[in-house]
Amino acid sequence: MKFSGFWKKLGVVCCLSGMMAGSLLAAPADAGQEKVYPEKSILVQDFGNGSRKLLTPRAVYTGPDGRMVELIGAVHVGEKQYYKDLEAIFGQCDKLLFEMVGGEDIPRIGELQRKLKSGGMLTAEEEKEMEQMLVKAQKVRDDENVLMKLLGPMYATMASALGMVSQKDGIDYYAHSTFVHADMTAAEFDQELEKRGQSIWSEVTSMSDRQKVRDSMDIDLLGMAGALLSGNYRYLKGEVIKLMASAEVGGKAEKWSVILDGRNEKCFEVFDSVNKDKENKHIGIFYGSAHLPGMHRMLLDRGFKLDKVEWLVAWDTETVPK
């Protein structure tokens, strides 16, 4: 079934309001209040007249032996320049730990792809390995739960509508030899949910009181629809920034969460292994911003000290879609 341009655009607004009301991001802070980190894992700068920026943190820590670790917050849709800036940061790291449930084969696939691009030939064993990994990746996509199947197209639709890009399109996960998968496999994720008696839906809804979020927001859905139809991306992006900043997850959650706590623990299992290698003097951890408050505490528990926090512009209402 194909939709006309009008209904497709109207659907985008509904997607934005529904998805962002349940966002896993932190509440806004006034511009310049950098010290709100880590309790707030994003900043919203409001310059008046609908001009806004959404910023994510780059927090730098020093360990007991002087080596550096960065927690690099992410949002799943952003400006093209935002992801270019992130790629530049990744290039400074000896190892870059990344999130992606079911993405454990990405580093190896990237290694084999880089070999081919450099003019090399794959051995018969490598060709078989590549084929098996690609088949496995397709099975993971086919077996994805309903929410994951829903979010992917929603992110892509939102990015396209606003002249932005999704994280998966903005970051070339296969290009970097330093990338290390630091997340659950799809099977581990499902098993952990089942063991805890949780579901993907209960996990998401438990992170925020949706009704409270809706009541606290001044959402003009008709205005957003009109802005999208008329191409007023500045207004639309400003309203979406408000939505994204309205779901509070700062501080320590009362309930242990597979999506946040479980995956943080998995990430730091990998981190502890990577950190044992003294050659890794600069380690980056690239994860959704909602994970950073918990990860901050985990680094402090390991003797790391927070040195500084920089903020990257992920969304900017003044950036015109090209």
Side-chain angles (χ1 to χ4, degrees), residues 62 108 126:
T62 302
R108 179 57 175 161
E126 288 173 334

Side-chain angles (χ1 to χ4, degrees), residues 52-64:
R52 298 186 183 94
K53 290 183 180 180
L54 178 77
L55 300 91
T56 61
R58 176 191 182 186
V60 181
Y61 300 77
T62 302

Side-chain angles (χ1 to χ4, degrees), residues 45-301:
Q45 293 181 326
D46 194 329
F47 303 97
N49 298 319
S51 179
R52 298 186 183 94
K53 290 183 180 180
L54 178 77
L55 300 91
T56 61
R58 176 191 182 186
V60 181
Y61 300 77
T62 302
D65 59 1
R67 289 185 293 150
M68 183 190 306
V69 172
E70 295 192 35
L71 294 183
I72 306 164
V75 290
H76 299 309
V77 174
E79 308 287 351
K80 294 177 182 178
Q81 186 60 47
Y82 171 63
Y83 293 113
K84 289 181 180 178
D85 293 341
L86 287 172
E87 290 268 17
I89 293 171
F90 299 160
Q92 302 171 20
C93 299
D94 297 316
K95 294 294 181 182
L96 190 287
L97 279 57
F98 70 93
E99 67 169 328
M100 188 180 297
V101 173
E104 64 272 11
D105 290 332
I106 286 177
R108 179 57 175 161
I109 293 174
E111 180 183 1
L112 296 178
Q113 287 184 347
R114 292 191 300 274
K115 181 178 180 179
L116 288 172
K117 287 181 180 179
S118 65
M121 296 288 291
L122 299 184
T123 65
E125 292 78 8
E126 288 173 334
E127 288 182 352
K128 182 178 180 180
E129 181 185 10
M130 174 74 89
E131 181 180 356
Q132 290 174 339
M133 289 188 296
L134 293 176
V135 170
K136 176 184 171 185
Q138 183 59 54
K139 185 177 186 304
V140 169
R141 286 192 291 270
D142 292 342
D143 292 344
E144 278 180 342
N145 59 61
V146 176
L147 181 62
M148 295 305 179
K149 286 184 176 180
L150 179 65
L151 288 181
M154 288 174 78
Y155 286 138
T157 300
M158 179 169 65
S160 175
L162 299 178
M164 304 167 81
V165 294
S166 67
Q167 181 177 321
K168 285 187 177 181
D169 291 332
I171 301 296
D172 188 348
Y173 287 87
Y174 298 102
H176 303 271
S177 62
T178 56
F179 273 29
V180 178
H181 182 253
D183 206 336
M184 294 180 177
T185 66
E188 287 173 336
F189 184 70
D190 290 339
Q191 289 168 5
E192 193 65 32
L193 285 174
E194 183 177 358
K195 183 176 75 174
R196 300 276 176 173
Q198 300 173 2
S199 70
I200 190 70
W201 292 107
S202 66
E203 281 286 271
V204 172
T205 55
S206 68
M207 290 180 188
S208 63
D209 181 343
R210 285 172 177 261
Q211 188 59 50
K212 181 178 178 181
V213 170
R214 291 190 186 99
D215 291 344
S216 68
M217 291 188 296
D218 180 19
I219 304 174
D220 180 9
L221 287 180
L222 288 178
M224 291 174 67
L228 185 60
L229 292 170
S230 65
N232 187 352
Y233 299 105
R234 181 178 182 273
Y235 174 83
L236 184 59
K237 287 170 73 173
E239 290 300 297
V240 175
I241 287 174
K242 284 169 56 179
L243 288 170
M244 292 176 72
S246 295
E248 175 91 42
V249 295
K252 179 65 176 173
E254 294 182 4
K255 180 183 176 183
W256 193 93
S257 161
V258 173
I259 288 181
L260 289 178
D261 302 287
R263 293 172 62 212
N264 283 3
E265 290 176 5
K266 177 67 176 185
C267 176
F268 270 73
E269 288 178 12
V270 178
F271 169 78
D272 288 338
S273 176
V274 170
N275 193 45
K276 287 180 181 178
D277 186 347
K278 302 301 181 182
E279 294 298 314
N280 296 325
K281 301 183 184 301
H282 186 171
I283 300 173
I285 301 177
F286 178 55
Y287 248 77
S289 285
H291 292 264
L292 267 56
M295 290 184 171
H296 166 81
R297 291 187 288 269
M298 297 172 84
L299 283 176
L300 296 186
D301 289 343

